[in-house]
Each structure stands twice: as C-alpha cells, then as structure tokens.
C-alpha cells in the first residue's frame, strides 16, 4: 500500500472508532437508565460470605465477586436477598452491559488499526504530534480498561471510559494534521520513549480518575443512604473500599511511568534537542506540577485525615493538571514544545 | 502508612491545639523541637508538596526571564502598572524566587528530617522478628477460620513451611496442649525502596543545584565560513550560575564550513523542516589538532565537558555598501532572524562609517519571495528565490554614547527615514547580484548572495550524570516501594471440641491490598494437603484502615 492509502485507512479507522465508541457509550447509558428503574440490591450486601462476626456497617467484599453485572449466581443471590422479581429487567441490564463492552472491544480494534496504519502512513512511530498522541493515549486508556474488565470485573467504568473516548477523539479531530515525517527536533529515540511512556501514564491516570470519581460517589452514598433506600446504579458497583483499591493500583502503576516520561526520558531528549535538560518551559512546568500532585496523592493515602476522600480529590486535581499539560498548555502558552503539532 | 505514624500525627495535632489554647511562650529548645516535629510530619510534607505545585503555576503563565527574555520585555511594554509589582514579587523568575525556594528548601528539610529517623527505624526492623499475634483476629481487616482433625503441631509446621516457601520470615510459637501461633512477615524491601526513592529525590535536587550554580549556557550565531572561539565576548547571549568562573570555559574554537537545511518541497507538510546539519572543524584547545564535526539537531558535539547544540538556523544575506563618496564602508554577511515558518526573516544593518550621514537599514529577507498584492512575502523556507526588502534611515545611529545596543534593532531616535522624490519612504527590493542607489546621494547597496547561519547553544551543566543516576535509582526505589507490599500474617491453632480450630489473619502496614483474597488463598494453601475439613469462614472489614 502507498503511504496515501495507509493515511486514508488510518483516518477511516479512527473515524469508525469514534462512532463505535459513541454507540458503546449509548449502550452503557441505557444500561444505567434501566438500572435506575430496577431496584437493584446492593451487590456488596449480596457478597457477604458467611461472616462469623456480623459487624454493623461493614462493607464486606470478596475477591472475584466484585461488581459482577452478568454473573448468573450473583444475580441469583441478589434476587433472593432483595426478594423481588427482577427477571426481565435484570436481563436487559445485563444485555446492554455486554453490548457496551463488545462495542468497546470493536472500537478499540478500529483504533488500533488507526494508530498502526498512521505509523505506516507517516513512515515512523505514530506519536509525533498532538493528534497522534491523543489517539495513542486513548488506545492505552481503552486497553487498560479492557484489561481491568477481564481481570478485575471493572465494567462499571464502561460509561465513563467510552464517554471520555468520544470526547477525546472529538478533540483529536480538532488537532488533526496530515501524516508526515517529523521536524528534526522530534526525530529522536528518546522522544519515542518519552511520548509512549507519557501516553501510557496518561491512559492510566484517566482510568484512575474515573475510578476516583466513582469512589467519591459511592463513599458518599454509603455514608448517607439508609440501608433500605439503596437502589439504583451505584449499589451495583463494588464497595467504595474496592473501588479505592482499584484506583490506587492504577495510579501506582501510572506514577513511576510518568516519572520516567516526565523526569527522565523528557529531560534526556530536551538535553539533546535544546541543550538543556530542564528549562521550566510551560510544558515542563505542568508536567512537574502533575508529578508533584500525584506524589501528593500517594502521600495523602498515608496521611491521617487525608485518606479516602482527600486522596481521591487530589487524584482528580492531578488528572486536571495532566489534561491541562496535554491540551491547555499547547493552546494558551507559548514555549518550545508548542511546535509539536498544534 | 504505618499505624505508628498515624499515632504520632494524632499526637501532633493534640499538641498544636494545646499550644494554641494556652499559648504560653515555649522555651526556645522546646519550640525548636515542636517546630521540627511539625516540619517532619507527614501532613506538612503533603501540604508542602501541594504548595510547591501551586507555586509553580505562575511560572507557566507569566513570561520568565530565564526562558524567554524577549517575552518579558513585551509583557513589560503591555502592562505598565503590573510589571513593577510582578518584578518585586519575583514573578518573572518564579523558579529562583525567594518564596519558591523557601517552599522547596522546607520540603528538603522535611524530607531529610523524615529520612534519617526512618532509616534507623528500618535498620532495626530488618533484624526484628515477626510481631506478636493480636489477641482477637476478628478485629483485624481480614481473617478466616476453619476446623480440622489434624493436630495443632502438624498445622503449624505446614503453615510455617508454606509461608517459608513463599519467602516469608516465619516464627513458630508452639504451646503444649494443642495450640500455638505462627507469626510471619514479608516485604521488607518496600521500605528500603521508599527510603531509596526519597534519598534519590534529595540527590536529584542537589545535582540540579550544582548544575545551575556552576554551569553556564550561551548561544551564538555563526555564519557559514566564519568561526567561533569559546570566550565570553563572542556570545550573543550568555547566562551562568552564581559560582561559575569564566576562566573555566573550555578553550575550544570552531569553524563552520557548511550548513545544510532540507525542507519538505511539496505534499501536505510542505515547508516543514526535515534536516539540519552543520559541518566544519573544531580545535578542542589551543595548539591541538583540528577535527571535523557534524552537528545535527539531537546530535550535539561534545568538547571537553561543554556541549555544542544546534538550536536554530537562518539566512545571512551578504551585503556590500558604499557611502556617498564611493568608499567601501560595509561588506559581509548579516544574519537575519527568522520570524515565521516560511523564514520571513528580519534584520538590520548599521553603517556608522558612512559619509555624509550614518546609515541604518531595516527590513526583511525572504528566502522564496512572492508578491502578495504588492507586499513581498516568503512562500517557502528554502532559498529558492531570495529577496531583500529594506527601508533606509540616515542620521545618528546612537552608537557613540557608549550604551550597549542590540545588533538586531535600530535606535531610531537620531535617524530619519529616507524618502523618495514622491515623498514616500524608500523601499529597496533587491535580488542577489542587484545593486541599488540610495536616494539623496547617500551611497549604494549591493546584495551579493546568501549564506546560511547556524545558531549554536553552548553549555555545560556539571553533575548532569549524577542527576540522571539519582533519577534512575529513584524510579527503581519507587517501584519497589509501590509494588512490594509489607505483609503480616498470623496463624493460630486452638483445641475446640476435640478438633483443631485454625484461625488465619492478615494485616498490612499499607493500604491497597485485597486482604480478603489473600486470606482465602492462604487458607486454601493450608488446607490443600489435608482432606478433613469442615466449616470455614472468611471475613474482611475495612481493609484500608
Ligand atoms: C520531595 C518531596 C517528596 C516527594 C516527591 C515524595 C514522594 C513520595 C512518593 C511518590 C511516595 C509514594 C511511595 C509509596 O507509596 O510507597 C512517598 C511515600 C512516602 N513519603 Fe514521600 N515524598 C516527598 C517528601 C516526603 C517527606 C518530606 C516525608 C516526611 C514526612 C515523606 C514521607 C513519606 C512516607 C512516610 C512515605 C510512605 C508512605 C506509605 O507508607 O505509603 N515524603 N513519597
């Protein structure tokens, strides 16, 4: 195939991915809205496995049973516990959940084709400008998400992840530039490492932020909702403790990767390209801010009075600074990084 | 973090409150101790981190002298009232301002105050045996129990074996009468990793500080066919750390023979730069052999600790000027600075020797000149159709008053613009080989040809390798700290109704683990070889306490 054909394939694949993500998002939204009508029993209550000592207000969760939407046995015990006839609605909820995930897998496949063929079109690694960074980063987000679905039953993140994907691809189209070779300053192995690590960390930060939002919602609901009013979508999520654990794991993965991207690979490349490893260019300032805020998140989890809610809010601030670094800095500030494609 | 720290945090707040309520002035020593404890508390570290992030923000919105001095000047012109205030607050040099430094120095102090005691605690913990079992397992975040017909010793021995095989540190306390406890702990490397990370953070900061105190950085424009030797006076701009010694500049010199720039000729990315390459020769120190160099973007030249980076390029039209009396008053290449992606470049020429009046020229160099509604523009960065468009000024260039002047700007206070017979300002439009007469008998100017220039940045930052080494070590420590979990487990046996009751509990010193699953796995391992099992239970409370 010629580079033009690759380029066309890439553009079509990314466009298709956008549409399919949109459909996946709609499927998850329908799933949510039906759930609101179904008086879904608290899964976390359903999962209490024959505890010896019944402690009040304990959120008992067992591994492997966290937030299963479609597990027959789970639904069974929920039905029994709630003592309600959920049958048909329950089925529909599960069907839309599965549909959402299937569509997400399809969209991810389209996106993968889009990113790879972009590489063939440009005859280089496909992460040299903002458009490419956005598509690659999103591919990482969705891959991590699907991994979590597979291994940690994290399908409850579906709506937020697919919604984010649609927004991100929309923004990426605004930053679209045709495939082509790189300006000399961007032609470096360290740049490849720098950008791929930043995209990986960014993808994980995104998932972490999604989980932190759910954590805050669920923790608030657990504090404020009386036992007998616990119906609706939130109560089909895992306990706030389990959500927090997932958020922490994702962040704990992302932080060292971001450290490598922003504080090692980036400076090495900057040194080669511009003759200084750190120059407080706006992009660098915000990468540093992001790093410091996430270090704050990890600290907050170990500081009395800041665990839980405080830490989750810091994680969300961290994600906001990451997004600003990635999008805002290119739009408003001027610096040496800005010629990288927008 | 540990329960221990939690407790000490609590104690600190109690103290603070006490202090605020009664507020008798503390004796200095006590105050110092109180202050130190506050400073090295986890909460202070967190607040200092968040403050550091907040304090860095203005540095990205307000132009910084060290990053873009020209932008600071522009800002000064646009905001006349704000500028002096910003200046006093150090907002044009945030990262060397007193308040920014105060935050990170406090953070460093807090960090050192944190690391030192923790290192001692850790060294003791390394030799310690696994801790005693709590009396009630059901109070722990995760526990389970089952009954078996095996005798207690068999269960304890197998438990110890299972755990040892998984590299736990294990102690067995067997008590006569069919009961006993296995105490186990693992994950000691986590704390080592954490300490390594924090020490490395200090290392990076010290290395960066050394680099900026003793380092230097400067840039210079070198036109093809010309040279540069590494002395202060040859730099176009130069900045150095407070402890830098100018006599320590590496005494090399270089000669630029050829500069190649390649741009995309067509296609969607037309005009994008593709390749820049500067070639010539250099002499590492006086008297040494000269050697060829080939500097490209991302491929600097290293000479005796300094590095020469290619950071920019542009065109230098070669110009000859004769004055009103026909004397040769100027001859040579003049670098014009590129202003946009098509390399529309601006520059000035100053001719103080010319008679009857001093002459100044200001205008544009266009590598691929095209005419857009009568205004010359550059359509492409390659020099395909070079042209020079200049306005002419005559009078006093203002060079005599001894004040330093930029070579890229005319001081027009003593100059008047030269006008043609129609009263309009004269605009000379020259192509290579052209000569034009300056109206009013002021002389002639010829555009002889075009050369390219390279802008080199030359710098040296000591301790660069140390900073990198510390950063890499820091990441390794960080990963150990994040991925290794310090874990404690207890397995207790008791006789009950003629059988053995086995209780298993886990407690982590850090949050993030799924303890319930761990306990289940442990129970599964324990029971794997014993067939006689009955009645088991697992529970997990708030694992993250
Ligand atoms: C330059 C400033 C600092 C940075 C960038 C930083 C960064 C970090 C990071 C990323 C972690 C997470 C590692 C983990 O969870 O194991 C951490 C943990 C920790 N930091 Fe810091 N830190 C800094 C200063 C301090 C200071 C001043 C203290 C002393 C109060 C401190 C005490 C701790 C402790 C005790 C932990 C372990 C928390 C746990 O057990 O989970 N750090 N730090």
């Amino acid at each position: 195939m010629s580079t033009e054909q690759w380029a066309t394939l890439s553009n079509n694949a990314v466009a298709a991915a956008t549409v399919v993500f949109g459909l996946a998002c709609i499927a998850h939204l329908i799933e949510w809205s039906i759930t609101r009508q179904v008086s879904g029993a608290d899964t976390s209550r359903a999962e209490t496995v024959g505890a010896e000592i019944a402690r009040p207000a304990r959120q008992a969760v067992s591994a492997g049973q966290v937030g299963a939407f479609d597990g027959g046995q789970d639904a069974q015990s929920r039905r029994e516990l709630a003592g309600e006839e959920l049958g048909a609605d329950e089925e529909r909820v599960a069907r839309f959940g599965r549909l959402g995930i299937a569509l997400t897998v399809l969209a991810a496949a389209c996106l993968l084709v889009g990113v790879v063929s972009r590489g063939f079109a440009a005859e280089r690694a496909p992460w040299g400008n903002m458009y490419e960074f956005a598509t690659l980063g999103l591919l990482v987000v969705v891959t991590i998400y699907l991994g979590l679905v597979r291994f940690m039953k994290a399908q409850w993140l579906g709506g937020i992840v697919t919604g984010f994907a649609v927004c991100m691809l929309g923004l990426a189209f605004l930053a679209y530039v045709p495939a082509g070779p790189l300006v000399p300053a961007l032609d470096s192995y360290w740049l490849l490492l720098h950008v791929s690590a930043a995209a990986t960390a960014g993808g994980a930060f995104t998932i972490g932020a999604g989980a932190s939002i759910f954590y805050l919602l669920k923790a608030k609901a657990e504090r404020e909702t009386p036992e007998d009013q616990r119906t609706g979508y939130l109560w089909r999520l895992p306990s706030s403790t389990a959500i927090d654990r997932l958020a922490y794991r994702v962040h704990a993965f992302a932080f060292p990767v971001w450290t490598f991207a922003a504080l090692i690979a980036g400076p090495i490349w900057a040194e080669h390209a511009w003759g200084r490893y750190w120059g407080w260019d706006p992009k660098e300032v915000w990468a540093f801010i992001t790093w410091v805020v996430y270090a704050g998140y990890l600290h907050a989890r170990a500081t009395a009075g800041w665990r839980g809610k405080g830490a989750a809010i810091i994680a969300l601030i961290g994600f906001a600074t990451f997004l600003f670094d990635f999008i805002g800095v290119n739009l408003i500030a001027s610096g040496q990084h800005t010629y990288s494609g927008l | 973090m540990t329960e221990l720290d939690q407790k000490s945090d609590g104690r600190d707040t109690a103290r603070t409150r006490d202090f605020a309520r009664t507020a008798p002035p503390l004796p200095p020593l006590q105050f110092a101790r109180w202050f130190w404890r506050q400073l090295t508390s986890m909460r202070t570290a967190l607040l200092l981190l968040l403050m550091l992030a907040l304090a860095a923000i203005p540095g990205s919105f307000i132009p910084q002298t060290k990053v873009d001095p020209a932008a600071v000047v522009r800002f000064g012109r646009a905001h006349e009232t704000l500028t002096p205030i910003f200046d006093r607050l150090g907002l044009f040099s945030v990262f060397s301002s007193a308040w920014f430094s105060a935050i990170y120095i406090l953070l460093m102090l807090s960090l050192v105050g944190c690391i030192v005691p923790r290192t001692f605690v850790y060294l003791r913990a390394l030799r310690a045996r696994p801790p005693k079992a709590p009396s009630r397992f059901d109070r722990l975040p995760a526990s389970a129990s089952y009954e078996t017909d095996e005798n207690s010793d068999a269960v304890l021995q197998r438990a110890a074996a299972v755990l040892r095989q998984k590299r736990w540190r294990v102690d067995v306390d067997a008590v006569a009468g069919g009961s006993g406890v296995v105490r186990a702990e693992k994950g000691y490397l986590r704390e080592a990793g954490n300490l390594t990370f924090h020490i490395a953070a200090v290392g990076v900061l010290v290395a960066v500080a050394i680099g900026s105190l003793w380092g230097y950085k400067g840039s210079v424009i070198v036109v093809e066919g010309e040279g540069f030797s590494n002395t202060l006076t040859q730099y176009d701009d130069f900045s150095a750390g407070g402890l830098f010694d100018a006599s320590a500049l590496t005494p090399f010199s270089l000669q630029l023979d050829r500069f190649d720039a390649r741009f995309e000729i067509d296609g969607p990315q037309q005009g994008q730069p593709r390749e820049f390459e500067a070639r010539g020769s250099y002499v590492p120190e006086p008297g040494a052999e000269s050697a060829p160099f080939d500097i490209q973007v991302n491929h600097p030249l290293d000479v005796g600790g300094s590095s020469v980076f290619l950071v920019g390029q542009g065109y230098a039209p070669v110009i000859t000027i004769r004055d009103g009396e026909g004397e040769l008053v100027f001859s040579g290449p003049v670098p014009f600075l590129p202003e946009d992606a098509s390399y529309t470049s601006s520059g000035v020429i100053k001719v103080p020797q010319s008679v009857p009046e001093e002459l100044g020229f200001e205008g544009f160099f266009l590598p691929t000149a095209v005419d857009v509604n009568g205004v010359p523009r550059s359509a492409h960065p390659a020099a395909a159709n070079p042209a020079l468009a200049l306005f002419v000024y005559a009078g006093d260039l203002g060079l005599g008053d001894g004040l330093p002047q930029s070579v890229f700007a005319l001081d027009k206070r003593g100059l008047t613009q030269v006008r043609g017979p129609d009263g309009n300002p004269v605009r000379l439009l020259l192509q290579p080989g052209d000569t034009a007469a300056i109206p009013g008998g002021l002389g002639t100017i010829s555009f002889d040809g075009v050369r390219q220039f390279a802008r080199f940045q030359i710098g040296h930052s000591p301790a660069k390798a140390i900073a990198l080494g510390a950063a890499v070590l820091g990441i390794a420590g960080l990963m150990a700290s994040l991925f290794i979990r310090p874990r404690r487990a207890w397995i207790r046996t008791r006789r009950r109704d003629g059988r053995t009751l086995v209780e298993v509990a886990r407690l982590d010193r850090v949050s993030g683990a799924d303890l319930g699953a761990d306990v289940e796995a442990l129970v599964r391992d324990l029971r794997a070889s014993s067939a006689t099992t009955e009645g088991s239970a697992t529970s997990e409370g708030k694992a993250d306490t």
Side-chain angles (χ1 to χ4, degrees):
Chain A
M1 269 171 49
S2 73
T3 53
E4 282 81 13
Q5 284 167 319
W6 282 116
T8 312
L9 173 62
S10 168
N11 291 351
N12 290 342
V14 174
T18 314
V19 173
V20 182
F21 274 127
L23 294 175
C25 188
I26 291 172
H28 283 299
L29 288 179
I30 296 177
E31 179 196 1
W32 282 8
S33 65
I34 314 177
T35 318
R36 249 196 278 161
Q37 297 146 22
V38 180
S39 53
D42 188 347
T43 43
S44 36
R45 236 190 304 154
E47 284 155 5
T48 310
V49 184
E52 273 196 328
I53 308 97
R55 260 178 295 159
R58 192 185 57 216
Q59 292 299 323
V61 177
S62 246
Q65 290 172 310
V66 171
F69 274 82
D70 45 1
Q73 208 191 335
D74 237 312
Q76 186 73 35
S77 58
R78 258 202 309 272
R79 227 166 283 151
E80 281 165 15
L81 253 173
E84 277 172 63
E85 185 49 54
L86 301 173
D89 276 346
E90 190 76 35
E91 249 330 290
R92 274 173 57 221
V93 171
R95 203 177 320 126
F96 277 107
R98 279 196 300 269
L99 179 66
I101 288 174
L103 286 171
T104 309
V105 172
L106 180 63
C110 291
L111 195 56
L112 178 66
V113 171
V115 168
V116 172
S117 53
R118 175 88 179 180
F120 284 110
E123 299 178 307
R124 57 176 169 76
W127 45 85
N129 52 49
M130 221 167 106
Y131 170 78
E132 290 166 354
F133 185 82
T135 46
L136 175 73
L138 193 60
L139 187 60
V140 176
V141 171
V142 179
T143 308
I144 293 177
Y145 160 69
L146 289 173
L148 291 176
V149 168
R150 177 80 182 73
F151 295 107
M152 293 174 83
K153 309 223 168 188
Q155 41 270 70
W156 43 274
L157 280 167
I160 216 165
V161 169
T162 49
F164 179 81
V166 175
C167 297
M168 212 54 208
L169 285 176
L171 284 175
F173 283 119
L174 294 181
Y176 179 80
V177 284
L182 290 175
V183 301
L186 298 180
D187 185 9
S188 146
Y189 286 113
W190 284 106
L191 175 78
L192 291 189
L193 284 175
H194 170 63
V195 176
S196 47
T200 306
F205 284 148
T206 308
I207 302 283
S212 296
I213 290 174
F214 277 119
Y215 167 79
L216 288 173
L217 293 176
K218 183 74 191 257
K220 181 165 190 289
E222 280 168 4
R223 275 195 310 277
E224 295 176 358
T225 316
E227 286 276 337
D228 53 347
Q229 289 168 27
R230 298 192 162 181
T231 59
Y233 186 75
L234 269 186
W235 300 102
R236 322 180 115 244
L237 301 188
S239 72
S240 61
T241 314
I243 298 180
D244 186 48
R245 188 155 56 219
L246 180 93
Y248 171 70
R249 285 189 182 169
V250 175
H251 283 126
F253 163 76
F255 187 73
V257 180
W258 181 251
T259 310
F260 173 75
L263 302 185
I264 293 190
I268 291 178
W269 169 51
E271 165 84 23
H272 287 177
W274 300 318
R276 88 285 185 293
Y277 57 85
W278 193 268
W280 294 113
D281 176 272
K283 200 99 179 164
E284 292 166 358
V285 173
W286 282 92
F288 174 76
I289 291 174
T290 301
W291 186 75
V292 170
V293 174
Y294 277 111
Y297 164 78
L298 292 175
H299 267 219
R301 293 184 57 90
T303 306
W306 286 78
R307 290 188 183 84
K309 188 173 166 189
I313 291 175
I314 295 179
L316 288 177
I317 295 175
F319 186 60
T321 66
F322 168 77
L323 280 186
F324 186 78
D325 190 26
F326 168 45
I327 302 171
V329 168
N330 294 46
L331 297 180
I332 59 125
S334 69
Q336 285 173 308
H337 277 84
T338 41
Y339 64 86
S340 57
L342 189 93
Chain B
M1 150 93 199
T2 62
E3 315 93 285
L4 228 156
D5 277 80
Q6 223 174 310
K7 238 181 279 157
S8 77
D9 261 5
R11 187 159 15 101
D12 286 350
T13 26
R15 231 169 244 270
T16 328
R17 245 182 264 123
D18 265 14
F19 183 63
R21 200 185 312 130
T22 51
L26 282 178
L29 192 65
Q30 242 165 307
F31 176 78
R33 215 177 282 150
W34 171 83
F35 181 77
W36 182 248
R37 200 168 307 123
Q38 290 298 311
L39 185 64
T40 55
S41 83
M42 206 57 191
R43 176 171 294 114
T44 309
L46 174 59
L47 291 179
L48 284 172
L49 275 174
L50 295 181
M51 275 166 69
L52 188 70
L54 209 61
I57 293 177
S60 71
F61 289 106
I62 300 169
Q64 299 292 298
T65 313
K66 284 244 177 69
V67 180
D68 191 353
V72 177
V73 174
R74 276 199 301 277
F75 185 92
R77 266 191 238 119
H79 307 274
E80 290 198 345
T81 42
L82 272 185
T83 302
I85 303 173
F86 278 20
D87 202 24
R88 200 155 325 130
L89 293 175
L91 286 169
F92 295 117
S93 48
V94 166
F95 303 103
S96 48
S97 70
W99 43 276
F100 192 82
S101 313
I103 296 175
Y104 78 73
I105 287 171
L106 277 177
L107 193 57
M108 279 301 107
L109 272 179
S110 167
L111 189 51
V112 172
C114 216
I115 293 172
V116 173
R118 277 175 62 203
T119 306
F120 286 112
V121 171
Y122 178 62
L123 289 179
R124 271 197 303 278
L126 265 187
R127 274 169 288 130
R129 302 309 306 175
K132 265 175 52 186
S135 57
R136 291 192 55 186
F137 281 8
D138 54 45
R139 291 262 168 80
L140 295 180
S143 60
S145 61
Y146 67 95
E147 286 186 6
T148 171
D149 290 328
E150 276 184 300
N151 73 32
S152 163
D153 278 348
V155 173
L156 292 179
Q157 287 317 319
R158 202 179 48 251
V162 162
L163 289 169
R164 283 207 181 98
Q165 201 191 3
K166 293 188 174 164
R167 314 238 309 274
W168 290 66
R169 180 179 294 177
V170 180
D171 276 357
V172 184
D173 309 329
V175 181
S179 68
V181 179
V182 171
R183 300 177 276 124
E185 188 165 17
K186 83 181 274 188
Y188 293 89
L189 270 182
R190 176 205 142 90
E191 183 69 0
N194 190 294
L195 288 169
T196 307
F197 169 76
H198 284 87
I199 293 168
V202 179
V204 170
L205 269 141
V206 169
V208 169
I210 291 175
S212 65
L213 280 174
W214 276 278
Y216 74 90
K217 187 176 94 173
S219 70
V220 59
I221 282 177
V222 183
V223 180
E224 281 174 313
E226 300 194 339
F228 165 79
S229 63
N230 195 18
T231 51
L232 272 186
T233 50
Q234 295 230 341
Y235 280 98
D236 295 332
D237 62 69
F238 188 87
S239 65
L243 298 174
F244 169 76
D245 171 10
S247 66
L249 278 176
T250 327
F252 73 90
S253 59
L254 60 78
Q255 165 87 19
L256 178 64
D257 294 335
R258 214 192 131 108
F259 188 88
D260 287 316
R262 229 169 37 74
F263 299 94
E264 201 78 2
I265 302 296
D266 47 22
Q269 302 223 341
Q270 193 224 47
Q272 287 276 1
R274 285 298 155 242
E275 201 172 27
F276 299 124
E277 190 173 18
R279 271 180 285 189
S281 57
Y282 72 104
V283 180
E285 56 192 351
E289 294 261 317
S290 103
F293 70 73
D294 174 355
I295 305 175
Q296 299 175 30
V297 181
N298 284 327
H299 299 281
L301 167 72
D302 291 312
V303 211
S306 293
S307 310
V308 184
F309 302 90
L310 178 59
V311 293
Q313 70 293 317
Y315 294 99
V318 183
I319 287 161
T320 305
I321 296 167
R322 294 179 184 276
D323 67 9
E325 298 180 347
E327 286 295 320
L328 180 68
V329 284
F330 186 95
S331 174
V334 184
F336 275 51
L337 301 182
E339 297 204 321
D340 62 21
S342 310
Y343 281 62
T344 302
S345 311
S346 70
V348 306
I349 309 159
K350 298 180 190 182
V351 196
Q353 292 94 331
S354 88
V355 178
E357 288 191 90
E358 297 184 5
L359 289 178
F361 299 83
E362 182 184 68
F364 291 98
F365 171 79
L366 310 162
T368 302
V370 290
D371 193 299
V372 183
N373 304 328
V375 183
R377 286 268 169 76
S378 178
H380 194 277
N385 179 30
L388 200 52
L390 295 173
F391 292 111
V392 190
Y393 296 83
D396 177 8
L397 288 167
L399 295 172
D401 57 12
L403 289 175
Q405 252 195 32
S406 162
V407 294
F408 295 106
L410 280 184
D411 179 354
K412 292 183 190 145
R413 277 173 303 183
L415 295 172
T416 39
Q417 188 158 18
V418 174
R419 290 169 187 274
D422 55 358
N424 288 331
V426 169
R427 193 184 69 197
L428 306 171
L429 200 56
L430 304 167
Q431 293 203 299
D434 289 354
T435 298
I438 303 163
L442 293 170
T444 60
I445 175 168
S446 321
F447 178 15
D448 305 330
V450 181
R451 288 198 223 161
Q452 300 207 68
F453 72 78
R455 201 159 69 84
F456 292 118
Q457 176 157 309
I458 298 160
H460 171 52
S461 37
K464 204 158 63 183
I466 297 178
L468 179 61
V472 171
L473 195 68
I475 288 216
L478 181 64
M479 298 205 320
S481 171
L482 288 169
F483 302 138
I484 296 176
R485 279 191 280 134
R487 292 183 268 188
R488 288 173 178 174
W490 295 277
I491 294 153
R492 183 159 56 202
T493 54
R494 244 196 320 244
R495 292 302 285 176
R496 190 159 85 182
D497 307 332
R499 307 188 72 199
T500 303
L501 171 71
V502 183
E503 291 176 287
V504 178
R506 287 267 287 104
L507 173 65
D508 274 8
R509 292 180 43 234
V510 283
S511 56
D514 189 346
L515 294 179
D518 279 6
V519 166
E520 277 178 19
L522 203 51
V523 170
R524 221 176 303 123
D525 287 341
L526 285 180
R527 300 168 76 180
S529 51
S530 73
T532 47
T533 53
E534 256 173 66
S536 95
T538 315
S539 76
E540 184 194 348
K542 280 194 167 290
D544 298 30
T545 38

